[in-house]
Short mmCIF file of all heavy atoms in Angstrom, two decimals:
data_model
loop_
_atom_site.label_atom_id
_atom_site.label_comp_id
_atom_site.label_asym_id
_atom_site.label_seq_id
_atom_site.Cartn_x
_atom_site.Cartn_y
_atom_site.Cartn_z
N MET V 1 13.18 -9.04 16.59
CA MET V 1 11.93 -9.92 16.64
C MET V 1 11.23 -9.70 15.27
O MET V 1 11.23 -8.65 14.76
CB MET V 1 11.05 -9.37 17.71
CG MET V 1 11.69 -9.54 19.08
SD MET V 1 10.54 -9.21 20.48
CE MET V 1 11.73 -9.33 21.74
N THR V 2 10.68 -10.80 14.83
CA THR V 2 9.99 -10.78 13.53
C THR V 2 8.56 -10.54 13.70
O THR V 2 8.01 -10.68 14.77
CB THR V 2 10.24 -12.11 12.78
OG1 THR V 2 9.59 -13.12 13.43
CG2 THR V 2 11.73 -12.37 12.63
N HIS V 3 7.84 -10.32 12.62
CA HIS V 3 6.41 -10.05 12.70
C HIS V 3 5.71 -11.37 13.07
O HIS V 3 4.54 -11.41 13.58
CB HIS V 3 5.87 -9.56 11.34
CG HIS V 3 6.28 -8.12 11.14
ND1 HIS V 3 5.73 -7.06 11.76
CD2 HIS V 3 7.17 -7.56 10.28
CE1 HIS V 3 6.24 -5.91 11.39
NE2 HIS V 3 7.15 -6.17 10.46
N GLN V 4 6.34 -12.50 12.79
CA GLN V 4 5.66 -13.82 13.06
C GLN V 4 5.64 -13.92 14.64
O GLN V 4 4.76 -14.69 15.19
CB GLN V 4 6.48 -14.97 12.51
CG GLN V 4 6.52 -14.95 11.02
CD GLN V 4 7.58 -15.89 10.45
OE1 GLN V 4 8.43 -16.28 11.17
NE2 GLN V 4 7.41 -16.17 9.16
N GLN V 5 6.48 -13.26 15.38
CA GLN V 5 6.51 -13.36 16.81
C GLN V 5 5.80 -12.27 17.51
O GLN V 5 5.88 -12.12 18.78
CB GLN V 5 8.02 -13.38 17.25
CG GLN V 5 8.83 -14.49 16.78
CD GLN V 5 10.30 -14.31 17.10
OE1 GLN V 5 10.81 -13.21 17.06
NE2 GLN V 5 10.98 -15.41 17.37
N ASN V 6 5.12 -11.38 16.79
CA ASN V 6 4.50 -10.26 17.42
C ASN V 6 3.30 -10.49 18.27
O ASN V 6 2.69 -9.56 18.74
CB ASN V 6 4.21 -9.13 16.35
CG ASN V 6 3.01 -9.39 15.49
OD1 ASN V 6 2.44 -10.47 15.56
ND2 ASN V 6 2.62 -8.38 14.84
N ASP V 7 2.95 -11.78 18.49
CA ASP V 7 1.82 -12.04 19.37
C ASP V 7 2.35 -12.49 20.77
O ASP V 7 1.54 -12.97 21.59
CB ASP V 7 0.87 -13.06 18.81
CG ASP V 7 1.59 -14.38 18.58
OD1 ASP V 7 2.82 -14.41 18.56
OD2 ASP V 7 0.86 -15.35 18.40
N GLN V 8 3.60 -12.20 21.08
CA GLN V 8 4.14 -12.57 22.40
C GLN V 8 4.16 -11.45 23.35
O GLN V 8 4.01 -10.28 23.00
CB GLN V 8 5.55 -13.11 22.25
CG GLN V 8 6.58 -12.09 21.85
CD GLN V 8 7.95 -12.76 21.73
OE1 GLN V 8 8.11 -13.90 21.81
NE2 GLN V 8 8.94 -11.92 21.45
N LEU V 9 4.19 -11.83 24.66
CA LEU V 9 4.28 -10.84 25.73
C LEU V 9 5.72 -10.43 25.96
O LEU V 9 6.58 -11.38 26.06
CB LEU V 9 3.66 -11.35 27.00
CG LEU V 9 2.12 -11.39 27.08
CD1 LEU V 9 1.66 -12.15 28.32
CD2 LEU V 9 1.59 -9.95 27.15
N LEU V 10 6.01 -9.15 26.11
CA LEU V 10 7.40 -8.71 26.37
C LEU V 10 7.46 -8.24 27.80
O LEU V 10 6.54 -7.61 28.38
CB LEU V 10 7.71 -7.54 25.48
CG LEU V 10 7.66 -7.76 23.95
CD1 LEU V 10 7.89 -6.45 23.25
CD2 LEU V 10 8.65 -8.82 23.52
N THR V 11 8.56 -8.54 28.41
CA THR V 11 8.90 -7.97 29.74
C THR V 11 9.34 -6.52 29.54
O THR V 11 9.60 -6.05 28.43
CB THR V 11 10.02 -8.74 30.48
OG1 THR V 11 11.22 -8.53 29.70
CG2 THR V 11 9.71 -10.26 30.57
N THR V 12 9.44 -5.82 30.59
CA THR V 12 9.92 -4.38 30.55
C THR V 12 11.35 -4.41 30.00
O THR V 12 11.62 -3.54 29.21
CB THR V 12 9.88 -3.74 31.96
OG1 THR V 12 8.56 -3.87 32.46
CG2 THR V 12 10.24 -2.24 31.91
N ASP V 13 12.20 -5.34 30.41
CA ASP V 13 13.58 -5.41 29.92
C ASP V 13 13.55 -5.66 28.42
O ASP V 13 14.29 -5.03 27.63
CB ASP V 13 14.41 -6.44 30.58
CG ASP V 13 14.77 -6.04 32.05
OD1 ASP V 13 14.87 -4.83 32.30
OD2 ASP V 13 14.91 -7.02 32.90
N GLU V 14 12.71 -6.56 28.00
CA GLU V 14 12.65 -6.96 26.57
C GLU V 14 12.14 -5.69 25.73
O GLU V 14 12.63 -5.49 24.60
CB GLU V 14 11.75 -8.14 26.31
CG GLU V 14 12.34 -9.44 26.88
CD GLU V 14 11.42 -10.61 26.85
OE1 GLU V 14 10.18 -10.43 27.02
OE2 GLU V 14 11.93 -11.74 26.79
N LEU V 15 11.19 -5.01 26.27
CA LEU V 15 10.64 -3.83 25.62
C LEU V 15 11.69 -2.74 25.45
O LEU V 15 11.84 -2.15 24.39
CB LEU V 15 9.39 -3.34 26.32
CG LEU V 15 8.77 -2.12 25.63
CD1 LEU V 15 8.28 -2.38 24.19
CD2 LEU V 15 7.56 -1.68 26.49
N ALA V 16 12.44 -2.53 26.54
CA ALA V 16 13.51 -1.53 26.50
C ALA V 16 14.51 -1.92 25.43
O ALA V 16 14.95 -1.04 24.63
CB ALA V 16 14.16 -1.45 27.88
N ASP V 17 14.92 -3.16 25.37
CA ASP V 17 15.81 -3.64 24.27
C ASP V 17 15.25 -3.50 22.98
O ASP V 17 15.87 -3.00 22.01
CB ASP V 17 16.22 -5.15 24.58
CG ASP V 17 17.11 -5.30 25.67
OD1 ASP V 17 17.79 -4.43 26.20
OD2 ASP V 17 17.24 -6.49 26.21
N TYR V 18 13.96 -3.84 22.78
CA TYR V 18 13.26 -3.79 21.46
C TYR V 18 13.22 -2.30 21.02
O TYR V 18 13.48 -2.08 19.86
CB TYR V 18 11.88 -4.32 21.65
CG TYR V 18 11.05 -4.44 20.41
CD1 TYR V 18 11.44 -5.15 19.31
CD2 TYR V 18 9.84 -3.69 20.31
CE1 TYR V 18 10.67 -5.24 18.19
CE2 TYR V 18 9.04 -3.71 19.17
CZ TYR V 18 9.50 -4.48 18.13
OH TYR V 18 8.67 -4.57 16.98
N LEU V 19 12.95 -1.41 21.91
CA LEU V 19 12.92 0.00 21.51
C LEU V 19 14.23 0.77 21.61
O LEU V 19 14.37 1.90 21.19
CB LEU V 19 11.84 0.71 22.37
CG LEU V 19 10.43 0.22 22.29
CD1 LEU V 19 9.52 0.92 23.24
CD2 LEU V 19 9.91 0.31 20.79
N ALA V 20 15.28 0.06 22.21
CA ALA V 20 16.58 0.69 22.39
C ALA V 20 16.46 1.95 23.29
O ALA V 20 16.93 3.02 22.88
CB ALA V 20 17.26 0.91 21.14
N ILE V 21 15.76 1.88 24.38
CA ILE V 21 15.59 3.01 25.27
C ILE V 21 15.79 2.50 26.69
O ILE V 21 15.72 1.28 26.96
CB ILE V 21 14.17 3.62 25.17
CG1 ILE V 21 13.10 2.56 25.45
CG2 ILE V 21 13.94 4.25 23.75
CD1 ILE V 21 11.71 3.23 25.60
N PRO V 22 16.05 3.39 27.68
CA PRO V 22 16.19 3.00 29.02
C PRO V 22 14.88 2.48 29.63
O PRO V 22 13.76 2.96 29.28
CB PRO V 22 16.54 4.31 29.74
CG PRO V 22 17.13 5.25 28.67
CD PRO V 22 16.34 4.82 27.42
N LYS V 23 14.96 1.58 30.50
CA LYS V 23 13.80 1.00 31.18
C LYS V 23 13.06 2.06 31.96
O LYS V 23 11.78 2.03 32.00
CB LYS V 23 14.21 -0.09 32.10
CG LYS V 23 13.09 -1.02 32.62
CD LYS V 23 13.53 -2.32 33.15
CE LYS V 23 14.38 -2.16 34.37
NZ LYS V 23 14.58 -3.46 35.05
N GLY V 24 13.74 3.02 32.48
CA GLY V 24 13.07 4.07 33.24
C GLY V 24 12.09 4.88 32.35
O GLY V 24 11.11 5.43 32.79
N THR V 25 12.45 5.00 31.01
CA THR V 25 11.55 5.72 30.14
C THR V 25 10.28 5.00 29.99
O THR V 25 9.15 5.64 29.96
CB THR V 25 12.22 5.83 28.71
OG1 THR V 25 13.41 6.57 28.95
CG2 THR V 25 11.31 6.58 27.74
N ILE V 26 10.30 3.72 29.95
CA ILE V 26 9.01 2.86 29.90
C ILE V 26 8.13 3.13 31.07
O ILE V 26 6.95 3.30 31.01
CB ILE V 26 9.37 1.40 29.69
CG1 ILE V 26 10.05 1.20 28.36
CG2 ILE V 26 8.08 0.59 29.74
CD1 ILE V 26 10.70 -0.08 28.13
N TYR V 27 8.76 3.10 32.26
CA TYR V 27 8.03 3.32 33.54
C TYR V 27 7.48 4.72 33.52
O TYR V 27 6.26 5.01 33.94
CB TYR V 27 8.88 3.09 34.71
CG TYR V 27 9.26 1.64 34.95
CD1 TYR V 27 10.55 1.22 35.08
CD2 TYR V 27 8.23 0.70 35.09
CE1 TYR V 27 10.81 -0.07 35.29
CE2 TYR V 27 8.51 -0.58 35.26
CZ TYR V 27 9.84 -1.00 35.44
OH TYR V 27 10.13 -2.35 35.62
N ARG V 28 8.24 5.77 33.04
CA ARG V 28 7.69 7.09 33.03
C ARG V 28 6.52 7.21 32.01
O ARG V 28 5.56 7.91 32.33
CB ARG V 28 8.84 8.05 32.63
CG ARG V 28 8.44 9.53 32.75
CD ARG V 28 9.61 10.47 32.60
NE ARG V 28 10.25 10.35 31.27
CZ ARG V 28 11.48 9.81 31.16
NH1 ARG V 28 12.13 9.34 32.20
NH2 ARG V 28 12.07 9.65 29.99
N TRP V 29 6.63 6.64 30.88
CA TRP V 29 5.58 6.63 29.87
C TRP V 29 4.35 5.99 30.49
O TRP V 29 3.22 6.57 30.30
CB TRP V 29 5.94 5.83 28.71
CG TRP V 29 6.85 6.44 27.69
CD1 TRP V 29 7.25 7.79 27.67
CD2 TRP V 29 7.52 5.85 26.59
NE1 TRP V 29 8.12 7.95 26.63
CE2 TRP V 29 8.25 6.84 25.98
CE3 TRP V 29 7.54 4.56 26.15
CZ2 TRP V 29 9.08 6.49 24.85
CZ3 TRP V 29 8.34 4.26 25.04
CH2 TRP V 29 9.12 5.27 24.38
N ARG V 30 4.45 4.96 31.25
CA ARG V 30 3.30 4.29 31.82
C ARG V 30 2.61 5.10 32.88
O ARG V 30 1.39 5.24 32.89
CB ARG V 30 3.77 2.99 32.46
CG ARG V 30 2.56 2.12 32.93
CD ARG V 30 2.99 0.77 33.33
NE ARG V 30 1.76 -0.05 33.59
CZ ARG V 30 1.15 -0.01 34.72
NH1 ARG V 30 1.53 0.75 35.73
NH2 ARG V 30 0.05 -0.85 34.91
N THR V 31 3.42 5.81 33.69
CA THR V 31 2.79 6.67 34.71
C THR V 31 2.13 7.95 34.12
O THR V 31 1.19 8.43 34.73
CB THR V 31 3.75 7.09 35.83
OG1 THR V 31 4.85 7.80 35.22
CG2 THR V 31 4.33 5.81 36.55
N THR V 32 2.66 8.37 33.02
CA THR V 32 2.07 9.58 32.40
C THR V 32 1.02 9.27 31.28
O THR V 32 0.41 10.11 30.75
CB THR V 32 3.18 10.45 31.71
OG1 THR V 32 3.90 9.73 30.74
CG2 THR V 32 4.11 10.98 32.77
N GLY V 33 0.89 7.96 30.98
CA GLY V 33 -0.12 7.51 30.08
C GLY V 33 0.23 7.73 28.60
O GLY V 33 -0.73 7.73 27.77
N VAL V 34 1.44 7.83 28.26
CA VAL V 34 1.84 8.15 26.85
C VAL V 34 2.49 6.97 26.14
O VAL V 34 2.67 6.97 24.95
CB VAL V 34 2.77 9.35 26.71
CG1 VAL V 34 2.15 10.59 27.21
CG2 VAL V 34 4.04 9.10 27.47
N GLY V 35 2.77 5.89 26.90
CA GLY V 35 3.45 4.73 26.30
C GLY V 35 2.50 3.75 25.79
O GLY V 35 1.32 3.90 25.72
N PRO V 36 3.06 2.62 25.32
CA PRO V 36 2.24 1.51 24.76
C PRO V 36 1.39 0.84 25.89
O PRO V 36 1.77 0.96 27.06
CB PRO V 36 3.27 0.52 24.17
CG PRO V 36 4.55 0.82 24.92
CD PRO V 36 4.52 2.25 25.26
N PRO V 37 0.29 0.28 25.51
CA PRO V 37 -0.55 -0.39 26.53
C PRO V 37 0.22 -1.48 27.26
O PRO V 37 1.01 -2.21 26.62
CB PRO V 37 -1.73 -0.99 25.72
CG PRO V 37 -1.62 -0.45 24.37
CD PRO V 37 -0.29 0.14 24.20
N SER V 38 -0.07 -1.61 28.49
CA SER V 38 0.64 -2.65 29.36
C SER V 38 -0.37 -3.48 30.09
O SER V 38 -1.56 -3.10 30.20
CB SER V 38 1.57 -1.99 30.32
OG SER V 38 0.88 -1.13 31.24
N ILE V 39 0.10 -4.60 30.59
CA ILE V 39 -0.74 -5.54 31.39
C ILE V 39 0.01 -5.77 32.62
O ILE V 39 1.19 -6.11 32.62
CB ILE V 39 -0.92 -6.86 30.62
CG1 ILE V 39 -1.55 -6.62 29.24
CG2 ILE V 39 -1.68 -7.86 31.47
CD1 ILE V 39 -1.49 -7.80 28.33
N ARG V 40 -0.66 -5.69 33.78
CA ARG V 40 -0.08 -6.00 35.05
C ARG V 40 -0.52 -7.40 35.44
O ARG V 40 -1.67 -7.75 35.42
CB ARG V 40 -0.56 -5.03 36.15
CG ARG V 40 -0.11 -5.45 37.48
CD ARG V 40 0.63 -4.54 38.47
NE ARG V 40 1.29 -3.36 37.97
CZ ARG V 40 2.64 -3.23 38.00
NH1 ARG V 40 3.35 -4.28 38.29
NH2 ARG V 40 3.17 -2.09 37.73
N LEU V 41 0.51 -8.27 35.61
CA LEU V 41 0.27 -9.63 36.07
C LEU V 41 0.94 -9.82 37.45
O LEU V 41 2.11 -10.02 37.56
CB LEU V 41 0.89 -10.66 35.09
CG LEU V 41 0.39 -10.65 33.62
CD1 LEU V 41 1.20 -11.44 32.71
CD2 LEU V 41 -1.04 -11.04 33.60
N GLY V 42 0.12 -9.63 38.43
CA GLY V 42 0.68 -9.54 39.82
C GLY V 42 1.57 -8.37 39.95
O GLY V 42 1.15 -7.22 39.68
N LYS V 43 2.84 -8.53 40.26
CA LYS V 43 3.77 -7.45 40.33
C LYS V 43 4.53 -7.28 39.03
O LYS V 43 5.41 -6.38 38.99
CB LYS V 43 4.74 -7.67 41.54
CG LYS V 43 5.63 -8.85 41.38
CD LYS V 43 6.57 -8.96 42.52
CE LYS V 43 7.56 -10.09 42.26
NZ LYS V 43 8.60 -10.14 43.31
N HIS V 44 4.22 -8.01 38.10
CA HIS V 44 5.01 -8.01 36.79
C HIS V 44 4.28 -7.15 35.73
O HIS V 44 3.03 -7.27 35.66
CB HIS V 44 5.22 -9.37 36.29
CG HIS V 44 5.96 -10.25 37.25
ND1 HIS V 44 7.30 -10.12 37.52
CD2 HIS V 44 5.49 -11.25 38.07
CE1 HIS V 44 7.65 -11.02 38.44
NE2 HIS V 44 6.56 -11.65 38.84
N LEU V 45 5.00 -6.43 34.93
CA LEU V 45 4.45 -5.71 33.83
C LEU V 45 4.77 -6.36 32.54
O LEU V 45 5.94 -6.76 32.29
CB LEU V 45 5.07 -4.20 33.89
CG LEU V 45 4.33 -3.14 33.28
CD1 LEU V 45 2.94 -2.98 33.70
CD2 LEU V 45 5.14 -1.84 33.48
N ARG V 46 3.79 -6.49 31.66
CA ARG V 46 4.00 -7.11 30.34
C ARG V 46 3.36 -6.29 29.19
O ARG V 46 2.41 -5.52 29.49
CB ARG V 46 3.40 -8.49 30.30
CG ARG V 46 4.00 -9.50 31.26
CD ARG V 46 5.47 -9.78 30.87
NE ARG V 46 6.08 -10.85 31.75
CZ ARG V 46 6.80 -10.47 32.80
NH1 ARG V 46 7.03 -9.21 33.13
NH2 ARG V 46 7.42 -11.45 33.55
N PHE V 47 3.90 -6.46 28.05
CA PHE V 47 3.45 -5.68 26.88
C PHE V 47 3.26 -6.66 25.69
O PHE V 47 4.14 -7.42 25.36
CB PHE V 47 4.44 -4.64 26.39
CG PHE V 47 4.77 -3.73 27.54
CD1 PHE V 47 5.74 -4.04 28.56
CD2 PHE V 47 4.19 -2.46 27.59
CE1 PHE V 47 6.04 -3.15 29.57
CE2 PHE V 47 4.48 -1.56 28.64
CZ PHE V 47 5.44 -1.88 29.60
N TRP V 48 2.03 -6.63 25.11
CA TRP V 48 1.86 -7.44 23.87
C TRP V 48 2.64 -6.75 22.75
O TRP V 48 2.48 -5.53 22.48
CB TRP V 48 0.43 -7.46 23.44
CG TRP V 48 -0.46 -8.44 24.22
CD1 TRP V 48 -1.44 -8.11 25.12
CD2 TRP V 48 -0.36 -9.87 24.18
NE1 TRP V 48 -2.02 -9.24 25.67
CE2 TRP V 48 -1.34 -10.33 25.11
CE3 TRP V 48 0.39 -10.80 23.52
CZ2 TRP V 48 -1.61 -11.67 25.28
CZ3 TRP V 48 0.20 -12.11 23.78
CH2 TRP V 48 -0.81 -12.53 24.65
N GLN V 49 3.54 -7.52 22.08
CA GLN V 49 4.35 -6.92 21.04
C GLN V 49 3.48 -6.36 19.94
O GLN V 49 3.83 -5.27 19.44
CB GLN V 49 5.30 -7.92 20.47
CG GLN V 49 6.27 -7.26 19.51
CD GLN V 49 7.35 -8.11 18.97
OE1 GLN V 49 7.61 -9.24 19.50
NE2 GLN V 49 7.92 -7.75 17.90
N LYS V 50 2.39 -7.00 19.57
CA LYS V 50 1.52 -6.49 18.51
C LYS V 50 0.90 -5.15 18.95
O LYS V 50 0.81 -4.20 18.03
CB LYS V 50 0.36 -7.46 18.22
CG LYS V 50 -0.55 -7.82 19.32
CD LYS V 50 -1.51 -8.88 18.92
CE LYS V 50 -2.26 -9.35 20.18
NZ LYS V 50 -3.00 -10.53 19.87
N GLU V 51 0.72 -4.89 20.16
CA GLU V 51 0.15 -3.60 20.70
C GLU V 51 1.32 -2.59 20.63
O GLU V 51 1.04 -1.37 20.37
CB GLU V 51 -0.50 -3.73 22.03
CG GLU V 51 -1.81 -4.50 21.97
CD GLU V 51 -2.50 -4.60 23.37
OE1 GLU V 51 -1.93 -4.17 24.32
OE2 GLU V 51 -3.71 -5.05 23.31
N VAL V 52 2.51 -2.96 21.00
CA VAL V 52 3.71 -2.02 20.97
C VAL V 52 3.90 -1.64 19.51
O VAL V 52 4.07 -0.45 19.21
CB VAL V 52 4.95 -2.77 21.52
CG1 VAL V 52 6.18 -1.92 21.22
CG2 VAL V 52 4.78 -3.00 22.97
N ASP V 53 3.86 -2.57 18.59
CA ASP V 53 4.00 -2.27 17.16
C ASP V 53 2.95 -1.32 16.64
O ASP V 53 3.23 -0.32 15.95
CB ASP V 53 4.09 -3.53 16.31
CG ASP V 53 5.30 -4.41 16.52
OD1 ASP V 53 6.29 -3.84 17.02
OD2 ASP V 53 5.28 -5.62 16.25
N ALA V 54 1.70 -1.53 17.05
CA ALA V 54 0.61 -0.63 16.65
C ALA V 54 0.82 0.77 17.27
O ALA V 54 0.60 1.74 16.61
CB ALA V 54 -0.71 -1.19 17.11
N TRP V 55 1.27 0.82 18.53
CA TRP V 55 1.58 2.12 19.17
C TRP V 55 2.66 2.83 18.47
O TRP V 55 2.59 4.02 18.27
CB TRP V 55 1.90 1.84 20.70
CG TRP V 55 2.38 3.06 21.39
CD1 TRP V 55 1.50 4.03 21.91
CD2 TRP V 55 3.64 3.49 21.67
NE1 TRP V 55 2.23 5.05 22.57
CE2 TRP V 55 3.58 4.68 22.36
CE3 TRP V 55 4.94 2.96 21.43
CZ2 TRP V 55 4.70 5.37 22.88
CZ3 TRP V 55 6.03 3.61 21.83
CH2 TRP V 55 5.91 4.85 22.53
N LEU V 56 3.70 2.06 18.03
CA LEU V 56 4.78 2.70 17.29
C LEU V 56 4.32 3.30 16.01
O LEU V 56 4.77 4.38 15.64
CB LEU V 56 5.87 1.67 17.00
CG LEU V 56 6.74 1.29 18.14
CD1 LEU V 56 7.65 0.10 17.73
CD2 LEU V 56 7.67 2.50 18.53
N GLU V 57 3.42 2.66 15.31
CA GLU V 57 2.86 3.20 14.06
C GLU V 57 2.14 4.54 14.32
O GLU V 57 2.18 5.40 13.45
CB GLU V 57 1.89 2.14 13.43
CG GLU V 57 2.57 1.04 12.75
CD GLU V 57 3.46 1.47 11.62
OE1 GLU V 57 3.07 2.40 10.77
OE2 GLU V 57 4.62 0.93 11.52
N THR V 58 1.50 4.66 15.49
CA THR V 58 0.85 5.95 15.78
C THR V 58 1.81 7.09 16.06
O THR V 58 1.46 8.20 15.99
CB THR V 58 -0.14 5.84 16.94
OG1 THR V 58 0.60 5.64 18.18
CG2 THR V 58 -1.12 4.73 16.76
N ARG V 59 3.07 6.70 16.41
CA ARG V 59 4.11 7.65 16.70
C ARG V 59 4.89 8.07 15.52
O ARG V 59 5.67 9.01 15.54
CB ARG V 59 5.06 7.13 17.73
CG ARG V 59 4.44 6.47 18.96
CD ARG V 59 3.72 7.43 19.82
NE ARG V 59 4.64 8.38 20.38
CZ ARG V 59 4.26 9.49 21.09
NH1 ARG V 59 3.01 9.72 21.29
NH2 ARG V 59 5.12 10.27 21.55
N ARG V 60 4.63 7.47 14.38
CA ARG V 60 5.41 7.76 13.10
C ARG V 60 5.09 9.11 12.63
O ARG V 60 3.98 9.60 12.68
CB ARG V 60 5.04 6.74 12.07
CG ARG V 60 5.74 6.88 10.75
CD ARG V 60 5.18 6.03 9.70
NE ARG V 60 5.37 4.60 9.99
CZ ARG V 60 6.05 3.73 9.29
NH1 ARG V 60 6.66 4.10 8.22
NH2 ARG V 60 6.17 2.49 9.74
N ASN V 61 6.18 9.79 12.25
CA ASN V 61 6.07 11.18 11.70
C ASN V 61 5.47 11.04 10.36
O ASN V 61 6.11 10.49 9.47
CB ASN V 61 7.46 11.84 11.73
CG ASN V 61 7.35 13.30 11.32
OD1 ASN V 61 6.44 13.75 10.66
ND2 ASN V 61 8.41 14.04 11.68
N PRO V 62 4.24 11.69 10.08
CA PRO V 62 3.60 11.52 8.75
C PRO V 62 4.50 12.11 7.68
O PRO V 62 4.36 11.65 6.51
CB PRO V 62 2.31 12.30 8.92
CG PRO V 62 2.25 12.81 10.31
CD PRO V 62 3.52 12.41 11.03
N GLU V 63 5.32 13.05 8.00
CA GLU V 63 6.22 13.66 6.96
C GLU V 63 7.18 12.69 6.36
O GLU V 63 7.54 12.79 5.20
CB GLU V 63 7.06 14.81 7.70
CG GLU V 63 7.95 15.56 6.73
CD GLU V 63 8.64 16.65 7.49
OE1 GLU V 63 8.01 17.21 8.43
OE2 GLU V 63 9.83 16.96 7.12
N PHE V 64 7.56 11.65 7.15
CA PHE V 64 8.49 10.69 6.69
C PHE V 64 7.87 9.30 6.44
O PHE V 64 8.57 8.36 6.06
CB PHE V 64 9.63 10.47 7.73
CG PHE V 64 10.36 11.76 7.98
CD1 PHE V 64 10.22 12.48 9.26
CD2 PHE V 64 11.21 12.33 7.07
CE1 PHE V 64 10.87 13.62 9.48
CE2 PHE V 64 11.87 13.46 7.31
CZ PHE V 64 11.70 14.15 8.51
N ALA V 65 6.57 9.14 6.59
CA ALA V 65 5.90 7.85 6.46
C ALA V 65 6.08 7.25 5.10
O ALA V 65 6.18 6.03 4.93
CB ALA V 65 4.38 7.96 6.81
N GLY V 66 6.14 8.03 4.06
CA GLY V 66 6.27 7.41 2.68
C GLY V 66 7.64 7.10 2.28
O GLY V 66 7.94 6.48 1.31
N GLN V 67 8.63 7.43 3.13
CA GLN V 67 10.04 7.17 2.81
C GLN V 67 10.47 5.85 3.50
O GLN V 67 10.10 5.61 4.56
CB GLN V 67 10.96 8.33 3.31
CG GLN V 67 10.55 9.65 2.60
CD GLN V 67 11.39 10.74 3.15
OE1 GLN V 67 12.37 10.57 3.93
NE2 GLN V 67 11.08 11.96 2.87
N ALA V 68 11.26 5.10 2.80
CA ALA V 68 11.77 3.87 3.36
C ALA V 68 13.26 3.72 3.09
O ALA V 68 13.81 4.31 2.27
CB ALA V 68 11.05 2.65 2.76
#
């Protein structure tokens, strides 16, 4: 996904693919309050990609932030 598309809503499956992690990890993060912000639409869970990207930036290790 490109930065031009970062204003879209992601499903739990799409977020798991985007982060390359199991879907169960996302649910665990949500229940413990450590994951990216989510939106509940009825029985569906969605994530703004821009908020996921911002959350990822907060998780960056400062020791490696200057390295690319």
